[in-house]
Amino acid sequence: MKITFYGHACVAIDVSGKHILVDPFITANPKASHIDINLLKADYILLTHAHRDHILDVEAIAKRTDATIVSTYEVATHFGDKGYKYHPMNHGGSWQFDFGKVKIVNAVHSSSFSDGSYGGNPAGFVIEGEHKKIYISGDTALTYDMKLIPLRTKLDLAILSIGNNFTMDVDDAIIAADFVECDKILGVHYDTFGYIEIDHDQAKKKFFDAQKDLMLLEIGQSINL
Ligand code: NI
Ligand code: MN
């Protein structure tokens, strides 16, 4: 399983020969100006919620790639109604795709489209494929619901929001890592806007002091699990 960071909360997951893109927000992210969305591969686009900083580039990428949009019922059908391929899910449910399994888990946040229309409840994902298991928190507060995840799943990686203001800060994300019982963390949802700038060295040291490894990738950089 290969994971590439495309800035903000956008990651690509290459697993079982398929390309999965999560929460594409690239063309309006000045920090990701070196990423060309026309070159991104996508068989599936997974969306945690309807906020603009998670769905901005969905239509452009889905139009070109014919990717299937996987999200909560409200977000998936929003794009389905516009003619895109979609797979609606909802919290607590999982589905076996051709690349592996996706489960939708709780996130404590909000979810609405830019025009104010209802975007369902915000979600996180647990994704399993190639015998690796990862958690994507989505935009969320720290919540006790995270403790449910290790009851079913021994995670290899947790992708956590760490930028504060809209989501967990670094200290809450360290507790979240404890709750999901995973010591390998990829931080997302930081630095994109002034509200969520973080001190990288201090964040890494805090995780290190808690016996955890926080990875902060350059935009476009990949890791292999
Ligand atoms: Ni959000
Ligand atoms: Mn967000």
Side-chain angles (χ1 to χ4, degrees):
M1 186 185 280
K2 179 182 168 191
I3 295 166
T4 306
F5 179 54
Y6 284 120
H8 198 50
C10 181
V11 295
I13 303 164
D14 292 352
V15 57
S16 308
K18 298 291 177 185
H19 303 283
I20 297 147
L21 193 63
V22 182
D23 284 357
F25 173 76
I26 294 163
T27 55
N29 180 358
K31 293 188 157 53
S33 58
H34 58 295
I35 304 297
D36 180 356
I37 62 164
N38 295 307
L39 301 177
L40 298 181
K41 295 175 180 168
D43 298 298
Y44 297 90
I45 300 174
L46 271 56
L47 303 174
T48 59
H49 63 297
H51 287 161
R52 182 177 177 274
D53 60 316
H54 297 257
I55 67 163
L56 180 71
D57 296 317
V58 169
E59 293 194 50
I61 295 168
K63 201 170 287 172
R64 178 178 54 80
T65 60
D66 202 30
T68 299
I69 294 160
V70 179
S71 189
T72 56
Y73 179 82
E74 291 80 4
V75 174
T77 56
H78 168 89
F79 291 106
D81 289 347
K82 294 182 171 193
Y84 298 99
K85 283 206 281 195
Y86 70 107
H87 181 114
M89 298 180 66
N90 224 326
H91 298 73
S94 59
W95 186 260
Q96 188 72 44
F97 292 88
D98 54 2
F99 60 85
K101 194 167 95 171
V102 175
K103 182 172 187 175
I104 294 212
V105 295
N106 289 347
V108 175
H109 191 66
S110 60
S111 180
S112 54
F113 292 94
S114 297
D115 64 358
S117 63
Y118 180 54
N121 287 319
F125 294 110
V126 175
I127 301 170
E128 303 184 21
E130 293 177 354
H131 307 292
K132 299 292 180 189
K133 299 174 181 180
I134 68 170
Y135 166 54
I136 298 173
S137 73
D139 286 10
T140 185
L142 177 65
T143 163
Y144 256 56
D145 287 349
M146 292 168 178
K147 287 178 173 249
L148 298 171
I149 291 167
L151 298 181
R152 294 279 303 270
T153 309
K154 175 84 187 80
L155 294 172
D156 297 289
L157 177 73
I159 300 177
L160 302 179
S161 296
I162 60 169
N164 204 4
N165 192 71
F166 300 109
T167 69
M168 296 185 286
D169 66 359
V170 166
D171 296 291
D172 277 351
I174 290 170
I175 299 171
D178 275 330
F179 283 2
V180 300
E181 298 178 14
C182 185
D183 293 336
K184 193 170 183 179
I185 313 303
L186 174 63
V188 296
H189 214 279
Y190 63 92
D191 283 359
T192 319
F193 326 110
Y195 293 129
I196 59 175
E197 281 171 6
I198 66 163
D199 181 325
H200 292 208
D201 290 338
Q202 187 191 56
K204 286 180 184 173
K205 183 176 187 313
K206 283 183 173 182
F207 273 88
F208 181 80
D209 289 346
Q211 281 95 47
K212 299 178 197 312
D213 178 27
L214 174 67
M215 293 173 285
L216 299 177
L217 299 180
E218 298 293 327
I219 295 175
Q221 191 184 353
S222 301
I223 53 167
N224 282 294
L225 274 190

